[in-house]
């Protein structure tokens, strides 16, 4: 799309645009009220394998839940798309997705919107039927969705500008008919999940965040999946780059948030963060030949130097531009180029967003959510206040942060990024999951950071880290003196 449209001005409606049929409006609007009253509350803990020196599991550690779990993800498959079928099968295998969570659909991606093959969109009425099928198949335990196809990636309209929904936002929030064909430069619905600490979005908000395992081929989608797998609980140091470029229209909206994020997180006990300003950096508007890139956010229509960098497994990167979400477009850089360079997840808009800050990922929310142990899907979805026009792509379960633990020569070592500041946590040991539990340590952190709990003389097979005062119960616990 022409660069001149990336402004904050309001565009006039297209003359002669055909209205959406009334029946279609009813179908689409009906998607906005999911029935989640019967949703089951997920467990408030998650299990971490405690490993020995040979990486064998020798004990279990329960910690406060900090992300959606693989068993709570449903994978959407288009049985009429060979790439979708193969990608879904591979993802199920490597991520241990239960068979009951594989939802099979069947539609012709080349027939969805006759006369608009380059639109890569699905007709709103046809989408409504698919959404209803998914909602009926997904049980209340399903908290998020994975789309295993690459096309369609948007809800189709009568021209490029006439619809304001990506496929991921449509599956996540439903489609509001009032916004479907509204001015694409105007505000779109606000994401109630924005900045939330929730790890159960369907239970808490009645939404299922969605990400696409998209790629130009099956091989490229599998490469992204493999990259995400390598990230799991690696607790990387990594480098974050937040760039002010010479492209003032695209760089301007996020500059203040970039600076605040770097000031908050660039510290020895957290991450290495850099705010790069082209006007103070010899005129350079991009990051080149950088290593261990973990975050990279910029504002450019194209980022030619992205392949000169190396990216940490689990890296997140995006560029604020008009149509980065036009995954197979050529006028500006597709978000898929990030994935091909080694990034694990990205974001782009499928229609002209007009450079509104609210329509793009906020670095401050993205970094905090990810560092606390959220998956890429959660961190990205929480970071966009008005995400209707944006498509999320990559491995949704990629999760480099959280908690890992070892038990070597009787020394228990727990390293975590998930502790909430100003809250005391107690660590307990037990001979079994049923107890009795003995308190062995207490820990607290003043702000978000990597924390280490080291306790010598341990050989128990079961441990649990809990908020102070919430566990164990008097009937099952045997409290011992805290040990550091």
């Amino acid at each position: 799309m022409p660069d001149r449209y990336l402004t904050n001005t309001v565009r006039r409606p297209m003359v002669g645009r055909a209205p959406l049929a009334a029946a279609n409006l009813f179908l689409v609007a009906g998607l906005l009220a999911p029935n989640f009253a019967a949703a089951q509350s997920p467990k408030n803990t998650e299990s971490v394998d405690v490993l020995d020196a040979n990486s064998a599991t020798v004990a279990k550690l329960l910690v406060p839940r900090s992300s959606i779990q693989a068993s709570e993800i449903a994978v959407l498959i288009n049985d009429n798309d060979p790439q979708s079928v193969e990608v879904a099968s591979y993802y199920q295998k490597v991520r241990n997705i239960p068979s009951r969570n594989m939802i099979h659909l069947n539609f012709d991606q080349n027939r969805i919107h006759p006369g608009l093959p380059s639109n890569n969109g699905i007709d709103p009425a046809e989408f409504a039927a698919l959404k209803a099928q998914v909602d009926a198949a997904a049980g209340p335990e399903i908290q998020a969705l994975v789309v295993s196809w690459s096309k369609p990636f948007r809800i189709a309209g009568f021209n490029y500008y006439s619809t304001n929904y990506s496929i991921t936002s449509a599956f996540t929030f439903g489609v509001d008919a009032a916004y479907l064909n509204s001015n694409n430069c105007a505000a779109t619905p606000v994401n109630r999940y924005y900045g939330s600490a929730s790890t159960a979005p369907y239970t808490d908000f009645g939404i299922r965040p969605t990400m696409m395992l998209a790629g130009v081929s099956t091989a490229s989608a599998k490469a992204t999946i493999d990259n995400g797998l390598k990230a799991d609980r690696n607790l990387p140091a990594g480098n974050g780059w937040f760039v002010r470029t010479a492209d003032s229209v695209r760089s301007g909206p996020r500059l203040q948030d970039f600076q605040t994020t770097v000031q908050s997180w660039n510290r020895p006990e957290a991450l290495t963060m850099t705010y790069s300003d082209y006007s103070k950096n010899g005129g350079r508007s991009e990051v080149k030949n950088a290593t261990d890139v973990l975050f990279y956010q910029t504002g450019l229509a194209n980022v030619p130097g992205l392949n000169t960098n190396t990216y940490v497994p689990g890296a997140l990167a995006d560029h604020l531009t008009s149509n980065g979400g036009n995954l197979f477009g050529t006028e500006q850089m597709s978000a898929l180029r990030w994935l091909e360079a080694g990034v694990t997840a990205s974001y782009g808009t499928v229609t002209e967003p007009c450079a509104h800050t609210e329509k793009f990922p906020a670095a401050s929310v993205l970094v905090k959510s990810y560092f606390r142990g959220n998956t890429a899907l959660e961190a990205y979805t929480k970071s966009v206040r008005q995400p209707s026009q944006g498509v999320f792509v990559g491995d949704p379960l990629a999760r480099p942060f959280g908690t890992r633990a070892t038990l070597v020569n009787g020394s228990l070592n727990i390293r975590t990024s998930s502790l909430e500041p100003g809250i005391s946590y107690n660590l307990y040991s037990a001979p079994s999951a049923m107890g009795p539990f003995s308190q062995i340590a207490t820990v607290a952190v003043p702000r978000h950071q990597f924390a280490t709990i080291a306790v010598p003389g341990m050989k128990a097979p079961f441990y649990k880290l809990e908020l102070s005062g919430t566990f164990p119960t008097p009937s099952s616990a045997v409290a011992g003196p805290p040990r550091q």
Side-chain angles (χ1 to χ4, degrees):
M1 159 184 48
D3 291 352
R4 65 180 181 276
Y5 288 124
L6 189 56
T7 67
N8 287 306
T9 59
V10 176
R11 299 176 62 252
R12 296 179 180 177
M14 299 294 292
V15 177
R17 176 182 296 163
L20 191 67
N24 291 359
L25 286 172
F26 175 81
L27 283 170
V28 176
L31 297 177
L32 289 172
N35 179 14
F36 60 99
Q40 301 171 349
S41 296
K43 294 180 179 179
N44 60 6
T45 61
E46 58 182 278
S47 179
V48 177
D49 290 339
V50 181
L51 308 179
D52 65 10
N54 298 313
S55 297
T57 300
V58 293
K60 290 289 184 180
L61 167 68
L62 288 185
V63 298
R65 174 186 171 106
S66 60
S67 81
I68 292 171
Q69 306 297 299
S71 61
E72 299 166 338
I73 291 276
V75 180
L76 310 187
I77 311 151
N78 180 6
D79 287 333
N80 198 40
D81 178 350
Q83 178 172 321
S84 174
V85 172
E86 189 171 350
V87 169
S89 177
Y90 186 70
Y91 201 63
Q92 179 186 17
K93 178 182 177 181
V94 301
R95 286 293 187 182
N96 298 312
I97 308 292
S99 296
R100 65 179 179 274
N101 294 11
M102 308 300 285
I103 299 178
H104 291 265
L105 308 169
N106 196 314
F107 57 90
D108 184 350
Q109 63 179 17
N110 297 317
R111 186 192 57 80
I112 297 167
H113 205 284
L116 291 175
S118 63
N119 190 278
N120 290 310
I122 181 170
D123 180 82
E126 292 197 48
F127 173 78
L130 292 180
K131 178 74 161 56
Q133 186 177 343
V134 170
D135 288 345
E141 75 283 1
I142 298 299
Q143 301 292 332
L145 304 175
V146 183
V147 170
S148 62
W149 62 80
S150 298
K151 299 177 184 179
F153 53 78
R154 56 173 293 182
I155 305 303
F158 297 98
N159 57 62
Y160 185 88
Y161 299 97
S162 66
T163 181
N164 292 317
Y165 282 91
S166 72
I167 197 80
T168 57
S169 64
F171 272 121
T172 301
F173 304 100
V175 176
D176 187 334
Y179 288 94
L180 183 65
N181 291 316
S182 65
N183 189 301
N184 54 281
C185 284
T188 54
V190 173
N191 176 11
R192 294 180 295 119
Y193 185 52
Y194 177 84
S196 164
S198 172
T199 61
Y202 185 70
T203 302
D204 297 338
F205 295 98
I207 64 170
R208 293 187 173 107
T210 306
M211 183 172 278
M212 298 186 77
L213 285 169
V216 296
S217 66
T218 300
S220 62
K222 285 184 176 180
T224 297
I225 294 169
D226 292 341
N227 202 9
L229 279 169
K230 295 175 185 176
D232 287 359
R233 289 176 171 156
N234 274 346
L235 303 185
N239 300 304
W241 291 91
F242 303 89
V243 185
R244 177 192 178 191
T245 75
D247 189 331
S248 60
V249 175
R250 293 179 176 86
S251 283
R254 298 195 288 185
L255 289 188
Q256 183 174 352
D257 190 50
F258 282 178
Q259 294 170 328
T260 300
T261 301
V262 171
Q263 290 168 2
S264 297
W265 290 92
N266 184 37
R267 45 195 171 86
E269 68 272 26
L271 301 169
T272 302
M273 300 293 216
T274 300
Y275 172 66
S276 179
D277 186 336
Y278 86 98
S279 67
K280 300 176 182 178
N281 193 27
R284 191 173 67 182
S285 284
E286 59 178 316
V287 177
K288 293 183 178 180
N289 303 310
T291 59
D292 299 329
V293 176
L294 176 59
F295 297 99
Y296 185 0
Q297 290 191 309
T298 185
L300 286 174
N302 295 281
V303 189
L306 63 90
N307 288 296
T308 68
N309 304 318
T310 60
Y311 300 88
V312 174
L316 307 181
D318 57 77
H319 57 309
L320 190 154
T321 189
S322 299
N323 58 357
N326 183 6
L327 300 183
F328 298 92
T330 57
E331 188 172 338
Q332 294 179 349
M333 193 181 94
S334 162
L336 294 183
R337 303 292 87 79
W338 289 110
L339 305 187
E340 292 160 5
V343 169
T344 304
S346 188
Y347 170 91
T349 52
V350 298
T351 57
E352 173 62 67
C354 296
H356 291 301
T357 308
E358 296 83 0
K359 296 182 179 183
F360 290 90
S364 54
V365 178
L366 184 70
V367 172
K368 179 181 178 181
S369 300
Y370 211 35
F371 188 81
R372 290 185 62 251
N374 279 189
T375 61
L377 170 61
E378 295 166 279
Y380 249 135
T381 307
K382 290 178 181 181
S383 74
V384 186
R385 191 182 294 274
Q386 295 180 17
S388 297
Q389 292 167 265
V391 61
F392 298 98
V393 295
D395 180 359
L397 286 174
R399 186 189 178 199
F401 297 102
T403 303
R404 67 184 184 193
T406 59
L407 183 56
V408 179
N409 297 326
S411 179
L412 177 66
N413 189 288
I414 300 170
R415 186 161 171 79
T416 181
S417 64
S418 298
L419 301 185
E420 285 297 309
I423 298 175
S424 292
Y425 294 80
N426 291 336
L427 177 65
Y428 303 91
S429 68
S432 75
M434 300 303 295
F437 291 88
S438 298
Q439 183 180 340
I440 59 174
T442 299
V443 64
V445 295
R447 52 183 176 172
H448 290 290
Q449 64 184 74
F450 290 114
T452 298
I453 310 169
V455 187
M458 291 289 102
K459 58 182 179 180
F462 192 84
Y463 302 89
K464 189 160 187 173
L465 185 67
E466 287 279 357
L467 296 178
S468 179
T470 63
F471 187 86
T473 60
S475 61
S476 65
V478 177
R483 290 189 295 178
Q484 296 298 333

